[in-house]
Amino acid sequence: MALITKDGDQVGKQPDAPKIEFPCENYVVKVVTMDAEGVHAKIVECFKTHAPEMDPKAVSMNRSSKGRFVSYSFRIIAQSEAQLSALHTDLMSVNAVKMVM
């Protein structure tokens, strides 16, 4: 899988990156955001659009030590690289989102 910038451009491919076999159960998507009001609801909405089977109650959340950032871990069933790319694009369009892994 290639690295994708906030603008959606591909940076490059990792030639030795492990291949993902789809569908891939328990695929973890981590999202790092600024601690802003309503951001959790916005990112959950992105997941509902692209991975409707995701249980919003099964999300783990951690705040940074100074409280400026929040990291979320979502588990989905990844269906394809196109699904993951579209999810990434939608998540990065949320202003408070700083990183998607």
Side-chain angles (χ1 to χ4, degrees):
M1 180 175 261
L3 298 174
I4 302 173
T5 66
K6 186 167 179 119
D7 298 325
D9 300 324
Q10 273 192 339
V11 175
K13 292 195 178 235
Q14 299 280 335
D16 296 339
K19 300 289 182 195
I20 300 171
E21 292 185 28
F22 297 104
C24 180
E25 291 192 31
N26 289 319
Y27 187 86
V28 178
V29 178
K30 295 189 179 212
V31 182
V32 178
T33 71
M34 298 295 292
D35 189 13
E37 188 174 327
V39 70
H40 178 75
K42 289 178 185 175
I43 59 178
V44 167
E45 195 60 39
C46 291
F47 277 94
K48 284 182 181 178
T49 300
H50 297 286
E53 79 287 344
M54 191 266 315
D55 180 6
K57 295 175 185 167
V59 175
S60 65
M61 179 184 93
N62 292 309
R63 293 191 188 281
S64 65
S65 60
K66 294 184 180 178
R68 288 185 54 206
F69 299 97
V70 180
S71 66
Y72 299 92
S73 293
F74 296 85
R75 291 190 180 274
I76 64 170
I77 300 172
Q79 301 294 337
S80 67
E81 204 164 318
Q83 174 204 29
L84 296 176
S85 180
L87 175 62
H88 181 276
T89 300
D90 279 0
L91 288 169
M92 291 304 292
S93 71
V94 176
N95 285 337
V97 171
K98 297 301 175 191
M99 189 181 315
V100 178
M101 300 173 274

